[in-house]
Amino acid sequence: MVGALGGFILAMGALRPIEPGVAELKRMRVHPTWQGRGFGRLILDHLEQRAIALGFHTLLLDTTPHQHAAIGLYRTRGFTQTGTGIVANQPSLFFQKQVAK
């Protein structure tokens, strides 16, 4: 999913299948100039609806602890932190959300 304005990419995100019924949110980004204007929420909501349409019931994601705005977004949209770990040599927080039964 890509959000663009006049050919300029403002925001993006993707789904990656993990196993039947489970997908991972990847590459959630909003250009710094456009952060705080709801584009991340729009991308996240679209990806959740797409995940449901594709038959996924659980979404997973990871982010680094210093991504405070992203963490806040994920929590307000119903994601629950499930643990911590290391991803690509970076401390990471793991989140999960049930989007369908």
Side-chain angles (χ1 to χ4, degrees), residues 53-77:
L54 292 170
F56 296 110
H57 54 75
T58 303
L59 292 178
L60 307 175
L61 65 87
D62 63 77
T63 191
T64 59
H66 70 275
Q67 296 290 336
H68 302 290
I71 293 166
L73 171 64
Y74 300 139
R75 287 187 171 144
T76 62
R77 303 314 269 185

Side-chain angles (χ1 to χ4, degrees), residues 23-57:
E24 181 180 20
L25 286 175
K26 298 297 290 180
R27 307 292 183 240
M28 285 284 300
R29 306 277 188 276
V30 176
H31 189 278
T33 302
W34 297 91
Q35 291 175 355
R37 300 179 191 200
F39 291 104
R41 185 172 49 253
L42 288 171
I43 294 286
L44 182 58
D45 289 349
H46 178 81
L47 289 172
E48 283 189 29
Q49 292 305 309
R50 183 73 178 134
I52 293 166
L54 292 170
F56 296 110
H57 54 75

